[in-house]
């Protein structure tokens, strides 16, 4: 992934300006997800593996949690998280398979939050850890066939 261009930066900035109360909760959630994954997986979560799948789902859960705390509105938290994480994936211009994997795992995290927004962070982490055991390796062109509740990854490493 390369650095954001000026145009990409402005796209993300415009989104953040639309919901200024959610900027800091989103940043806190993002920082926290990276810290948790660094502690659990080292640098492994920067590859297209199960650790990366976990990180993307956790990132979405945490943004939802932090946005929900700020807004007390589950739908708004979910919509905000979907907008932020989907736009991020689009502007960072990953390879098509990586982008598909990331978008899928982002959705897994949002679905998990949507099913029970009252869970603790530790409970979500345990659920995602369990989901790593049933994660499916993504094959080219097979994403549409996958269960939207399963984490997906590209490589074993």
């Amino acid at each position: 992934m390369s650095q954001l261009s000026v145009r990409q930066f402005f796209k993300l900035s415009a989104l953040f300006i639309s919901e200024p109360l959610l900027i800091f909760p989103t940043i806190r959630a993002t920082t926290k997800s990276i810290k948790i994954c660094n502690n659990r997986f080292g640098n492994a979560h920067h590859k297209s593996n199960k650790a990366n799948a976990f990180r993307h789902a956790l990132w979405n859960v945490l943004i939802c949690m932090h946005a929900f705390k700020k807004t007390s509105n589950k739908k708004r938290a979910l919509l905000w998280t979907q907008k932020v994480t989907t736009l991020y994936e689009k502007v960072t211009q990953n390879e098509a398979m990586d982008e598909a994997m990331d978008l899928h795992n982002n959705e897994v995290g949002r679905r998990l939050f949507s099913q029970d927004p009252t869970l603790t962070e530790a409970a979500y982490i345990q659920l995602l850890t369990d989901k790593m055991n049933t994660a499916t390796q993504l094959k080219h062109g097979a994403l549409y066939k996958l269960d939207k509740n399963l984490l997906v990854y590209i490589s074993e490493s």
Side-chain angles (χ1 to χ4, degrees), residues 55-69:
R55 186 187 83 218
H56 278 270
L58 178 64
W59 180 40
N60 278 256
V61 165
L62 293 179
I63 294 174
C64 285
M65 287 179 72
H66 286 257
F68 184 60
K69 284 179 192 171

Side-chain angles (χ1 to χ4, degrees), residues 53 97 100-105 107-108 111 134-154:
M97 285 285 287
M101 178 189 74
D102 293 347
L103 289 169
H104 177 92
N105 292 323
E107 184 177 349
V108 169
R111 282 176 176 263
T134 59
T136 301
Q137 190 167 10
L138 181 60
K139 305 292 185 197
H140 185 68
L143 187 63
Y144 71 92
K145 297 178 187 177
L146 295 176
D147 183 333
K148 296 292 186 185
N149 295 303
L150 290 176
L151 293 174
V152 298
Y153 63 97
I154 295 173

